[in-house]
Amino acid sequence: MRIQSLPTQLVNQIAAGEVVERPFSVVKELVENCFDAGATHITLDIEQGGIRLIKIRDNGCGIFKDDLALALSRHATSKIANLHDLEHVASMGFRGEALPSISSVARLTLISRTENAECAWKVSADGTEKDFNPQPDPHPQGTTIDVRDLFYNTPARRKFLKTEKTEFSHIENLIKKMALSRFDIGFTLNHNQREVMNFKPAESEMEQEKRIASICGAAFIENSVKIDFEASGLQLSGWVGLPTFSRSQQDMQYFYVNGRLIKDRLVTHAVKQAYQDVLFHGRHPVFVLYLTLDPALVDVNAHPAKLEVRFREGRLVHDFLFKALHRSLAELRPGDQQNTARKVEVFTPLAPVTPVASVPVSPMQKTTSRGASNPSPIQASLPMHVAENIESYAKLYPKNDEDPKHNLNLVSPVIEKTEGMPPLGYAIAHLHSIYILTETAKGIILVDAHAAHERVTYERLKKQYHQGIVPSQPLLLPLKIQVTSIEADLVEQEHAFFTALGFELNRTGPEAIVLRATPALLGREDMDALIRDILADIITHGMSQRVLEKSNEILATMACHGSVRAKRKLTIEEMNALLRDMEQTERIGQCNHGRPTWIELNTSDLDKFFLRGQ
Ligand SMILES: Nc1ncnc2c1ncn2[C@@H]1O[C@H](COP(=O)(O)OP(=O)(O)OP(=O)(O)O)[C@@H](O)[C@H]1O
Ligand SMILES: [Mg+2]
């Protein structure tokens, strides 16, 4: 067999195999070219899911008449000139491959006009890179690329296309993602001559949030906080969802690196770690985040369709992302949310209730039917198997008579409606021995006392543990606990670890241990169950090194055991002390299991519900 050069069109078709998988890929390449051309508005006309037509018009810089042939030729680009440029590339394109590849598998026409040019010029291409014969055209400044009959000459590929609807939904999702990456650009998307999307350039933060709301839903904006972090040349900004606004799928996670939407394992891992302490198991956070860094630190030439990047300093980026997100989640405090987080929508009745429409339903029935059809995280209850323990709490937060906050006069709530009202307000009652009802400046708040206390205790324990001082307190009567020999062995081996956790625990026989002191923060009830749980944790997680890594999980178990139970009514002082603690505690929005700790109903929601002032 002799060696021969392949015809240009075939070379381009081979390249197209990597770059152009479906209509979506054509749209991505062409819109990225508009970005690079400095366009401020991009109009897309799609027909039949992009299989029949993809037409994209921009008002960018345009292409010089003499460069048209080059634009359609392989390995010709205006974006880089040498290796140094490649390593510092800030534009979306750099290979000079998209247009020739697309033209080799579809019927492509290009019309373009530069600033000050007398007219636009139009050329057609078929991937052979020959016979361009530019014709004058009245097109305004900018570029229009018209791509018809995708894969008309490569039937094998055409077979893999899905229905029109599916192909279009890929395109629509892509444009949404691209619209989130460039607020300064307007986008119009038409499908089969019907307008599907129309975004004007969004300059102010309000306009940007409006764009996000129309892409991710209004609830996203209501339940997220804006963040902006900068360290060692890296910047992370954007919107992160509150942990209580998580999803069962990873479908609302947008991450851009220097404006490029990417999927990256390192990023996913860092985000997951940052949320792990606050997210209910199996749930996924939502976010729209922008990482900006020196282009020299990112290799964008790592994936044929540029869907992935490689970080040259992976560790640095990972740690930065983790820290930035971890901090923002930790800093969430009651009253902090700039957006109206935690708004409870159930309180917006669809229509005034008329007597005719009201069918008598017993309260019992109501609860079960709603609970079954729409289980909210608030309703999800965890098996808590330890008894009440409040005395310790009261002891830890002694009444402070000097402090007016602790000296609340229950019958004069009006006095409290002042500027100085703390974000979580003052306690009024402990409902069903579960929920603390408080009145705030804006409305009322319900706090799940156990969940909130659990988080407060957990954060304190973590702090004490990591500072190496978990104060412990001796038991009046040492507690003997029967265990298995494996567990007794563990108590012996991990003696130092138990001491660090604030326990004085020793082996007294082949299958017996004795507990002499416990962490001062925790109550005294049910300590043997707690010790058994910790031993089980250690057995599950393995050796001591792993135990240290997993110490947060163990501290969480301890906090869960040591927190107030839904059995006894808390006193007003205890409740107010808890509220004040909550305001100071990191990650207070959720308990250790990711369940919300409090909700707010503001007076306007209540007024709406009761149809007041209408
Ligand atoms: N919409 C546009 N406006 C102005 N110039 C454009 C436009 N689209 C393409 N060009 C010009 O045509 C050239 C070739 O485009 P093409 O997309 O094939 O390659 P690229 O963008 O340079 O690299 P890549 O293959 O990575 O996308 C570009 O370098 C640019 O100069
Ligand atoms: Mg390009």
Side-chain angles (χ1 to χ4, degrees):
M1 288 285 263
R2 305 301 302 268
I3 302 175
Q4 55 183 330
S5 289
L6 297 175
T8 311
Q9 192 188 30
L10 183 57
V11 171
N12 282 330
Q13 285 172 336
I14 292 169
E18 295 240 292
V19 181
V20 187
E21 199 198 331
R22 51 183 358 117
F24 157 95
S25 354
V26 173
V27 174
K28 177 170 182 287
E29 292 295 338
L30 297 182
V31 174
E32 288 187 351
N33 280 346
C34 306
F35 285 3
D36 289 345
T40 58
H41 199 97
I42 303 173
T43 307
L44 300 96
D45 289 296
I46 310 291
E47 276 174 30
Q48 296 177 9
I51 304 166
R52 158 114 187 78
L53 173 75
I54 295 168
K55 186 168 149 192
I56 301 190
R57 190 174 80 221
D58 70 50
N59 59 355
C61 64
I63 305 171
F64 290 101
K65 181 189 175 199
D66 291 347
D67 285 353
L68 286 171
L70 277 175
L72 294 160
S73 304
R74 206 162 141 76
H75 307 316
T77 178
S78 57
K79 298 167 192 176
I80 60 167
N82 52 42
L83 180 65
H84 179 267
D85 291 351
L86 176 62
E87 286 175 347
H88 295 80
V89 71
S91 53
M92 296 286 141
F94 51 84
R95 305 158 307 187
E97 236 170 47
L99 293 185
S101 299
I102 297 166
S103 70
S104 71
V105 293
R107 299 182 215 277
L108 183 145
T109 307
L110 162 60
I111 311 171
S112 195
R113 177 172 179 170
T114 53
E115 202 183 354
N116 305 327
E118 277 170 22
C119 66
W121 295 93
K122 172 175 170 177
V123 287
S124 295
D126 59 5
T128 57
E129 300 182 8
K130 282 200 304 241
D131 303 330
F132 300 113
N133 181 18
Q135 298 296 315
D137 192 280
H139 189 282
Q141 187 194 321
T143 305
T144 294
I145 296 191
D146 179 303
V147 176
R148 281 166 201 267
D149 304 327
L150 183 63
F151 299 141
Y152 76 99
N153 56 356
T154 49
R157 291 229 83 145
R158 201 180 168 109
K159 271 216 306 265
F160 284 100
L161 295 181
K162 299 275 182 336
T163 62
E164 216 183 273
K165 204 169 143 231
T166 307
E167 295 299 342
F168 182 72
S169 77
H170 287 308
I171 294 175
E172 193 181 356
N173 280 332
L174 172 75
I175 298 304
K176 285 180 178 168
K177 288 172 185 167
M178 295 187 104
L180 286 180
S181 78
R182 291 293 300 266
F183 289 111
D184 54 329
I185 299 180
F187 292 82
T188 307
L189 173 64
N190 303 313
H191 189 215
N192 297 334
Q193 274 119 47
R194 202 173 54 82
E195 188 177 281
V196 182
M197 215 187 287
N198 193 349
F199 293 131
K200 291 190 182 50
E203 272 153 34
S204 67
E205 193 175 307
M206 214 175 83
E207 289 169 331
Q208 297 180 358
E209 293 193 341
K210 213 173 123 204
R211 184 182 286 196
I212 295 183
S214 64
I215 291 172
C216 304
F220 175 88
I221 281 297
E222 280 173 9
N223 290 284
S224 65
V225 282
K226 186 139 195 267
I227 65 159
D228 200 349
F229 274 85
E230 216 171 331
S232 25
L234 305 173
Q235 193 206 357
L236 184 73
S237 60
W239 289 262
V240 288
L242 298 175
T244 37
F245 187 66
S246 59
R247 291 174 71 82
S248 63
Q249 302 294 325
Q250 287 169 285
D251 58 350
M252 215 184 270
Q253 306 189 337
Y254 302 94
F255 197 91
Y256 303 85
V257 177
N258 289 343
R260 222 179 263 282
L261 180 83
I262 57 133
K263 274 239 165 321
D264 186 86
R265 294 215 351 247
L266 181 138
V267 170
T268 314
H269 185 260
V271 173
K272 209 169 144 196
Q273 271 209 327
Y275 270 90
Q276 78 175 8
D277 222 13
V278 286
L279 213 56
F280 205 69
H281 186 67
R283 305 285 299 175
H284 301 283
V286 301
F287 51 82
V288 177
L289 285 171
Y290 308 91
L291 175 67
T292 316
L293 71 173
D294 180 352
L297 296 174
V298 204
D299 183 2
V300 290
N301 189 23
H303 184 274
K306 303 179 200 161
L307 298 170
E308 291 169 17
V309 294
R310 222 174 281 138
F311 294 104
R312 295 200 218 273
E313 305 265 1
R315 191 75 235 163
L316 179 85
V317 172
H318 181 280
D319 290 352
F320 169 74
L321 290 177
F322 172 76
K323 282 201 191 110
L325 289 174
H326 196 249
R327 272 259 58 80
S328 8
L329 294 172
E331 278 162 8
L332 292 178
R333 290 286 197 292
D336 268 3
Q337 282 84 17
Q338 41 166 22
N339 305 314
T340 48
R342 283 165 228 274
K343 245 179 93 179
V344 184
E345 272 152 30
V346 266
F347 277 81
T348 314
L350 288 173
V353 185
T354 63
V356 192
S358 67
V359 181
V361 184
S362 83
M364 208 49 186
Q365 276 172 298
K366 260 190 211 155
T367 327
T368 40
S369 69
R370 194 196 287 167
S373 63
N374 184 19
S376 80
I378 303 173
Q379 290 161 329
S381 71
L382 287 157
M384 302 290 182
H385 45 275
V386 194
E388 152 188 52
N389 202 324
I390 310 165
E391 289 81 342
S392 63
Y393 193 80
K395 203 167 58 212
L396 282 161
Y397 309 105
K399 206 157 76 167
N400 181 352
D401 289 333
E402 321 262 89
D403 186 346
K405 283 182 276 182
H406 288 249
N407 235 353
L408 178 71
N409 180 357
L410 249 188
V411 277
S412 57
V414 191
I415 302 168
E416 306 305 327
K417 279 195 174 173
T418 59
E419 282 294 297
M421 180 83 110
L424 290 178
Y426 295 126
I428 308 265
H430 193 196
L431 308 174
H432 298 288
S433 304
I434 300 175
Y435 302 110
I436 299 173
L437 172 69
T438 89
E439 185 185 34
T440 67
K442 281 186 289 180
I444 61 173
I445 280 179
L446 286 169
V447 174
D448 178 331
H450 171 72
H453 187 211
E454 187 177 293
R455 171 61 76 182
V456 169
T457 311
Y458 177 42
E459 293 298 329
R460 287 212 170 141
L461 276 174
K462 270 201 290 192
K463 209 180 222 166
Q464 295 181 343
Y465 177 76
H466 292 293
Q467 288 171 348
I469 38 135
V470 181
S472 71
Q473 205 162 37
L475 292 172
L476 280 180
L477 291 174
L479 181 67
K480 293 196 191 84
I481 309 172
Q482 277 312 113
V483 292
T484 66
S485 60
I486 298 172
E487 289 170 331
D489 287 348
L490 265 182
V491 167
E492 223 166 18
Q493 282 161 28
E494 306 297 344
H495 186 263
F497 179 63
F498 279 102
T499 309
L501 290 178
F503 294 103
E504 193 188 326
L505 193 61
N506 291 299
R507 185 177 199 159
T508 50
E511 296 187 344
I513 54 176
V514 64
L515 180 66
R516 293 203 166 81
T518 60
L521 264 186
L522 303 188
R524 293 298 154 81
E525 304 285 318
D526 235 3
M527 273 298 133
D528 58 342
L530 172 57
I531 296 294
R532 279 180 222 284
D533 277 6
I534 296 178
L535 288 168
D537 277 358
I538 300 180
I539 290 168
T540 319
H541 302 314
M543 308 127 31
S544 50
Q545 192 45 45
R546 294 268 296 139
V547 168
L548 289 180
E549 284 168 21
K550 293 279 176 188
S551 61
N552 277 0
E553 284 177 25
I554 289 170
L555 296 170
T557 307
M558 289 164 60
C560 178
H561 278 258
S563 302
V564 287
R565 294 284 133 190
K567 273 191 187 168
R568 197 205 73 177
K569 285 232 188 288
L570 295 171
T571 65
I572 293 288
E573 285 84 7
E574 285 170 335
M575 290 190 279
N576 282 323
L578 177 57
L579 295 171
R580 301 296 78 81
D581 280 340
M582 288 176 67
E583 285 156 3
Q584 303 302 321
T585 301
E586 303 197 325
R587 290 169 275 266
I588 190 61
Q590 312 76 40
C591 77
N592 308 342
H593 307 89
R595 289 180 296 143
T597 51
W598 61 282
I599 54 165
E600 178 170 24
L601 305 173
N602 60 40
T603 26
S604 67
D605 286 335
L606 293 169
D607 290 348
K608 225 189 279 170
F609 180 74
F610 290 107
L611 307 176
R612 284 176 70 97
Q614 287 185 15

